[in-house]
Each structure stands twice: as structure tokens, then as C-alpha cells.
Amino acid sequence: MTLRFEIQPAAKPTPDQDRAARLVDPGFGRVFTDHMAIIRYDKANGWHGAHVEARANFSLDPATAVLHYAQEIFEGLKAYRSEDGGVNLFRPDANARRFRDSAERMAMAPLPEALFIKAVEQIIRIDRAWIPGGEGSLYLRPFMIANEVFLGVKPSAEYLFAVIASPVGSYFKGGPAPVSIWVSQTYTRAAIGGTGAVKCGGNYAASLRAQAEAIDHGCDQVVFLDAIERRYVEELGGMNVFFVFDDGSLLTPPLGTILPGITRDSIIALSRDAGTRVREEPYTIDQWRSDAASGKLKEAFACGTAAVISPIGKVCSTNGDFVINGGVAGPVAMSLRKKLVDIQYGRAPDPHNWVRKVL
Ligand SMILES: *Cc1c(COP(=O)(O)O)cnc(C)c1O
């Protein structure tokens, strides 16, 4: 599909000095660039009205569908300043495909993949001065809402797709700090036939109570178990999980009810490239506990675009706590993290053609 983006640059962009100040320690998701990209959809016109404009509030009728029935999906990907002074995206085609899959599951209009990538690239071009150097990156947040004004329960006939961008610092200063996780025995995240494999805001809304319970127990993150037997490890609220064994092999829960992470997929590919055996198989919380005790389990880590890889140092539950690898980051997690980040920043060869040069 060819849609031309109309570019309307911000009349009052952030002055250079203010931008520089905001880029010093941006944290995550609090600082935003000057522009946003928008594409609209309705039944009569299909995808239309593609444009880039100053980032601004949306005006929504109180009866807008998304506000009532939560037809909303999103993506998350990063642009990196590469060694050669260019700007890289990492596997944006995979985000575009997943966004389509999410749209289909949520009965929303699927956005053509080329348009998704084009919208992301428009924002990177116009807001390139906002991409931090060093280990920082520009986090891009494409999302889509149902914006038909109607209180009936049915798929919306109108959608608004947008991309906003947020400069982010290195997630961990001085190397990734191991996280502690709380095993939720009260709440589940997803069941077969549900929306667990889809990146929709509703999944996050439903996970927040469990995450709050994790915080109440002094943990950083929650890990969910399967909804049927309540024993198979699924994933964290927003990250997939891997286990590393004493024979050097890796295990990660199979796809189905978990979110098919692009970081997860990349870790599987890089590990297999290096000759490492990777199984995508169910793993119970009891096995995790006993493998940690026997020493069969060497490491566990969580992964996702935002933090790349977070070692898991401690697992807590109502049945007691256990520590992994003495509570410190392990060598497999650290080396996989470096491999992945080096490809993203253009410092290492890219055998799978994952990097897309935007500038
Ligand atoms: C986005 C997300 C992930 C990680 O996916 P990546 O593509 O690696 O960023 C994992 N779990 C959930 C629930 C997510 O929403």
C-alpha cells in the first residue's frame, strides 16, 4: 500500500538546550519527542490521512469505543544510534507482523506492515535529535485505538493508529541488576483461547493487581503460572523467561498463551547459532525450585525490548523463597545480552539481517 505522509513540523519544537537537559537522565517513558505520526481507518475510506504533526492531546468523544470496551493494541521497539553515526531499528518487520496479528485477534483493522514501518521511520527522521547516544535509545510506541463513537458491543468501524517516541537511558546503569520475582498463585495472566499472545493494553490492566502483590512481598516483578494446572511457568507481566542448565542448554516456555517476544525469538536463534540446545517446553514451578536446589539450574533470566535481559536472582512465593546463581547475574545471561545489544548498535555482524538502517 502506498500512502504518502503529510508532514506538518511542530511550530514550537523543544529548544536545543531544553532537549539536551531532558536527555541527560531520561529514565523510561517520561520524556517524549516533539512529534507523532497518525493514520486513520474507517470502513468507507480504508487507511487514509497519514501525517506527522506536533505531539498533542487527542480529543475523544466520551462514547469513543476504546474507552468502554478496550479495543486497543500496541507495540514497543527501539531506534539505536549506531557506531557509524547512523540509526538502526531492530527487527521492525517482526513488530509490524505481530501488530497485525494483535489487530486480528482483537477484531480491529489490520494495518499493512509496510505502513507500520513507514510511520515509525517518519518519527525517527523528524525527531532524530532526540535519540540519545551511548547505551540509550529512542523507544517507539506504535498503538491503535477503536475510535468509533458508539456504545454498542461490536468491533469498531473506525480506528486511529499513532506512533509516539520516548528517549530512554540505559535500563541498568553499571550492568543489569538481578530482579526478584513473586510467583502469583492468586492471579493468572492468560488461558488458551484468550488474549495472552496479543499485545493489548487489557492484558496489562489485568496484570497490575498481581504486580502490586509482588511489590507488597518485596519483589520487583510478578511471574505468572498457567491458568489450568497452576504449575507451569508462563512469563512475567511484560517479559518472557529463560532457564539455563548445568549442561549448557536453555529452556523457555512454549508459545500459545504467552506473548511471542521478539527478544525471546532472537535469543533462541543466537543460542542455536552457537550450538546451544534450546527447548521450548513447559517447566513447572516445583521443578524450578528443585533444580535450583540441586544445582542443575544455573541461571534464569527475563527478556524483552525495554530491559533486553534481566537476570532473575530470587524467586519468592507463599511456599518459601529460593535463590538462583547466588543472587547475582550469570555468565550466560550477560553474554547473550552483550551479543544482542552489539547487533542492535551495529557493533557486531548481523547474520540474520535483523538490523534495518533508517538513517
Ligand atoms: C512485549 C512483551 C514481551 C516482550 O516482547 P519483546 O518483543 O521481546 O519486546 C513479553 N511479554 C509480554 C506480556 C509483552 O507484552
Side-chain angles (χ1 to χ4, degrees):
M1 164 176 297
T2 49
L3 248 192
R4 262 184 52 82
F5 279 77
E6 189 185 319
I7 314 285
Q8 303 155 333
K12 290 192 198 124
T14 309
D16 290 352
Q17 240 181 340
D18 293 2
R19 186 181 58 244
R22 284 182 220 176
L23 287 177
V24 172
D25 189 11
F28 186 87
R30 293 200 179 276
V31 176
F32 297 98
T33 66
D34 287 318
H35 297 87
M36 61 183 181
I38 304 265
I39 314 177
R40 291 178 182 277
Y41 175 92
D42 64 44
K43 281 237 163 87
N45 300 299
W47 292 101
H48 65 279
H51 65 279
V52 172
E53 64 180 32
R55 187 175 177 280
N57 292 348
F58 290 150
S59 170
L60 296 178
D61 187 285
T64 301
V66 66
L67 301 176
H68 302 272
Y69 309 123
Q71 247 192 322
E72 188 270 355
I73 57 172
F74 66 95
E75 271 300 328
L77 68 167
K78 286 172 168 176
Y80 309 85
R81 247 182 224 292
S82 66
E83 296 278 280
D84 62 9
V87 175
N88 293 343
L89 277 171
F90 184 71
R91 306 187 69 180
D93 51 322
N95 293 95
R97 195 175 326 124
R98 188 168 68 188
F99 196 69
R100 268 190 78 117
D101 292 343
S102 293
E104 269 157 23
R105 175 62 184 85
M106 301 300 282
M108 301 170 86
L111 179 71
E113 289 157 52
L115 261 183
F116 176 101
I117 294 174
K118 212 167 160 186
V120 165
E121 290 185 345
Q122 293 286 353
I123 289 303
I124 293 171
R125 283 203 192 92
I126 198 161
D127 284 332
R128 64 181 300 175
W130 286 92
I131 309 175
E135 294 291 298
S137 55
L138 185 67
Y139 183 81
L140 294 138
R141 169 53 60 89
F143 63 102
M144 179 158 66
I145 60 171
N147 74 338
E148 184 177 357
V149 177
F150 179 52
L151 290 182
V153 180
K154 66 157 188 78
S156 174
E158 294 168 33
Y159 295 95
L160 185 148
F161 168 78
V163 183
I164 55 172
S166 171
V168 298
S170 170
Y171 213 79
F172 306 102
K173 295 200 179 67
V179 294
S180 55
I181 61 174
W182 170 256
V183 183
S184 181
Q185 279 148 327
T186 312
Y187 305 104
T188 61
R189 182 184 167 277
I192 295 158
T195 59
V198 160
K199 228 169 163 67
C200 62
N203 285 347
Y204 279 74
S207 76
L208 296 177
R209 188 68 241 286
Q211 174 63 23
E213 197 182 74
I215 304 283
D216 288 346
H217 286 88
C219 291
D220 301 309
Q221 297 274 333
V222 63
V223 64
F224 290 100
L225 302 177
D226 77 281
I228 297 174
E229 298 190 42
R230 301 292 193 98
R231 53 193 198 109
Y232 295 108
V233 178
E234 295 239 305
E235 64 172 317
L236 275 54
M239 285 194 271
N240 297 120
V241 62
F242 276 84
F243 305 95
V244 183
F245 297 99
D246 57 358
D247 64 357
S249 69
L250 264 59
L251 184 150
T252 191
L255 297 181
T257 50
I258 64 168
L259 199 286
I262 295 161
T263 316
R264 174 190 179 278
D265 186 73
S266 305
I267 288 168
I268 292 173
L270 289 177
S271 300
R272 287 184 178 153
D273 287 352
T276 302
R277 177 162 168 250
V278 185
R279 288 173 290 156
E280 295 178 73
E281 286 173 15
Y283 190 64
T284 66
I285 181 66
D286 292 337
Q287 192 69 43
W288 189 358
R289 185 189 306 273
S290 71
D291 287 347
S294 72
K296 187 166 184 276
L297 182 83
K298 288 297 178 195
E299 300 177 34
F301 60 84
C303 66
T305 296
V308 192
I309 286 180
S310 299
I312 297 171
K314 190 178 172 193
V315 182
C316 310
S317 74
T318 50
N319 306 327
D321 305 349
F322 59 98
V323 168
I324 298 157
N325 192 43
V328 300
V332 175
M334 296 302 284
S335 104
L336 277 168
R337 180 188 161 78
K338 181 172 183 331
K339 264 192 189 172
L340 205 50
V341 170
D342 282 349
I343 295 172
Q344 290 166 340
Y345 284 90
R347 298 191 289 248
D350 175 24
H352 295 276
N353 261 313
W354 283 336
V355 169
R356 183 180 168 105
K357 285 193 156 302
V358 180
L359 293 168

